[in-house]
Amino acid sequence: MNMFYSATCQSPVGTLFIVVDGDGGLQNLSFSSKKAGIASSVPATTECDHIKTGLAAYFSGKTAKFGINLRPRGTEFQKLIWKTLSSVPAGTTISYKELAARAGKPQAIRATANAVAANPIAIFIPCHRVLASDGTLGGYSAGKGDGGPKNRENLKIKSYLLDLEKQIEKSRKSDQKNKNVSSH
């Protein structure tokens, strides 16, 4: 039987609950201990430190790229959607319809939305980058409780993450531009 380790991490948008497997692969990252499956894990000592380090770099505005081994559990379709979603660049957004098309499943818009809602790894699999077709925030299931569009706390989290990533990308592009100028 595979061991699972859990830890918490404080962030500007609340407590994050982390679950990794015995090899350090991230199984779950959630704003809810219930969604994270904390009950079926043992408290971590150092097993989750690499996740906390990645989150600290993210929330300090240093990076939106992670070298984290992701091991989400789900159906093959869900994993396809999550992999496709992971290719959406930080600082940008996508609609469910666009995401379904990029995954090669243009008719599966509702199933794509359901897969996004079932994402077990918030932030690292960036479901917050998916917007409703009219460009509004829509919902955010990775937050606390119900993920629907009426959950204002979740929408504040989603908005915060999108704004943070825009700032990270703006800084990255500025640093890259300065690097290119100084090398000439």
Side-chain angles (χ1 to χ4, degrees):
M1 184 172 133
N2 197 3
M3 287 292 284
F4 295 96
Y5 300 92
S6 62
T8 59
C9 179
Q10 297 305 313
S11 81
V13 289
T15 302
L16 287 160
F17 297 88
I18 304 164
V19 176
V20 299
D21 62 23
D23 297 323
L26 184 59
Q27 295 273 322
N28 201 300
L29 179 65
S30 178
F31 291 94
S32 162
S33 62
K34 186 176 181 182
K35 287 182 185 179
I38 295 289
S40 61
S41 62
V42 297
T45 51
T46 58
E47 293 85 0
C48 295
D49 286 354
H50 63 295
I51 307 298
K52 291 181 179 182
T53 299
L55 289 168
Y58 177 76
F59 284 114
S60 69
K62 292 181 180 158
T63 188
K65 294 193 181 286
F66 310 100
I68 305 289
N69 184 2
L70 304 179
R71 292 207 185 112
R73 288 182 276 178
T75 67
E76 290 305 312
F77 180 79
Q78 287 172 327
K79 289 177 183 179
L80 170 67
I81 296 302
W82 299 334
K83 181 178 180 182
T84 306
L85 180 54
S86 295
S87 71
V88 176
T92 65
T93 57
I94 190 169
S95 70
Y96 294 103
K97 183 177 181 178
E98 290 173 274
L99 182 59
R102 282 192 196 177
K105 306 287 184 182
Q107 303 303 314
I109 300 166
R110 186 175 301 272
T112 296
N114 289 336
V116 170
N119 173 20
I121 302 177
I123 300 169
F124 295 109
I125 298 176
C127 54
H128 59 277
R129 295 181 192 155
V130 183
L131 302 180
S133 59
D134 64 1
T136 60
L137 289 177
Y140 186 53
S141 295
K144 303 166 187 167
D146 173 35
K150 293 183 180 168
N151 186 323
R152 290 191 176 148
E153 186 176 5
N154 285 3
L155 294 181
K156 284 180 185 175
I157 294 170
K158 185 173 183 172
S159 182
Y160 178 90
L161 297 175
L162 291 171
D163 290 345
L164 174 64
E165 290 184 356
K166 286 178 187 170
Q167 289 301 324
I168 291 170
E169 284 305 296
K170 185 176 178 182
S171 292
R172 187 189 64 75
K173 287 177 182 175
S174 176
D175 290 349
Q176 187 65 39
K177 184 178 177 183
N178 291 338
K179 192 176 188 180
N180 289 341
V181 168
S182 66
S183 67
H184 289 334

